[in-house]
Amino acid sequence: MPSAAMMPHICHLQPALDYWPAPMHSRASAVLMLFISNPEPNAPARIVFTRRSTLVRTHKGQIGFPGGRREEADASPIVTALRETHEEIGLPSEAVEVLGMLPTLPSLDRRSVVPIVGYSDVDLGTLASNEDEVAEIFALPWPNLSPEAMQNLRFNVFGRWRETPYFPASGYHIWGLTAWMLKSAALRS
């Protein structure tokens, strides 16, 4: 793991659940906020993101963390997040050190989404996207995603005004549920 100076303090980090709580809907999801080292010496750790394929049913082209829906055999949010990450970007589960989880958030369809936080010393260039689901894999330095970098975005969907945190970073536009997770993490030095 990178030195403490390269990793942020992650607010609201709590121990990751090793089971799915009974009240969570069977359609719950889990994603992985994955930190990796920066190849630049003494540079801050980076967070891995995916840009969704245009072949998927929902959220075409949007930026997010790897992850997805719980399958019946998944014993916990950790299992779901690591399985989905392996399916989407080819990162083996055993290559991830789970650091904890952030508070569960509801998606627009009120489905529970559990953000698992982890670290891997994987080289970004060795990851391979499942082209049916992921168009691009990239990583951004965590300071680009700190509270100081956050803006607010107001938009209208189906005649209803909504507001979301927004992170414009290196030409990428991170908003919606992924931005809410970053806001919850409140990454700091």
Side-chain angles (χ1 to χ4, degrees):
M1 185 142 60
S3 71
M6 302 302 124
M7 284 290 290
H9 170 72
I10 304 166
C11 294
H12 304 114
L13 188 66
Q14 53 196 323
L17 295 175
D18 58 0
Y19 63 93
W20 277 102
M24 285 195 178
H25 190 276
S26 62
R27 289 182 51 220
S29 296
V31 298
L32 182 63
M33 181 185 289
L34 180 66
F35 288 87
I36 61 172
S37 295
N38 197 318
E40 299 293 321
N42 300 316
R46 300 175 296 159
I47 300 175
V48 174
F49 293 90
T50 63
R51 185 171 51 81
R52 289 178 58 88
S53 159
T54 57
L55 304 174
V56 293
R57 202 178 46 168
T58 61
H59 308 295
K60 296 174 190 278
Q62 290 186 7
I63 308 273
F65 298 122
R69 279 200 184 141
R70 171 189 182 195
E71 289 185 358
E72 194 172 323
D74 293 346
S76 71
I78 296 169
V79 171
T80 300
L82 296 179
R83 176 186 53 74
E84 284 283 338
T85 296
H86 182 256
E87 289 175 10
E88 291 180 7
I89 65 173
L91 181 63
S93 299
E94 59 273 7
V96 178
E97 176 186 348
V98 173
L99 304 175
M101 66 182 239
L102 295 170
T104 300
L105 293 170
S107 65
L108 284 178
D109 64 1
R110 310 314 281 163
R111 190 169 25 115
S112 297
V113 182
V114 180
I116 300 297
V117 179
Y119 171 80
S120 180
D121 62 3
V122 68
D123 178 338
L124 187 67
T126 65
L127 299 176
S129 64
N130 172 343
E131 294 177 4
D132 290 336
E133 296 185 45
V134 175
E136 180 182 8
I137 304 167
F138 62 95
L140 298 171
W142 73 260
N144 293 359
L145 307 157
S146 69
E148 294 75 27
M150 187 184 84
Q151 300 175 19
N152 286 310
L153 175 66
R154 190 163 185 220
F155 61 100
N156 191 308
V157 175
F158 306 118
R160 184 172 172 209
W161 284 98
R162 297 182 184 274
E163 195 168 302
T164 180
Y166 170 65
F167 295 88
S170 302
Y172 293 99
H173 305 282
I174 301 167
W175 59 283
L177 194 56
T178 303
W180 282 106
M181 291 174 193
L182 290 165
K183 180 179 180 178
S184 174
L187 306 173
R188 301 203 184 283
S189 296

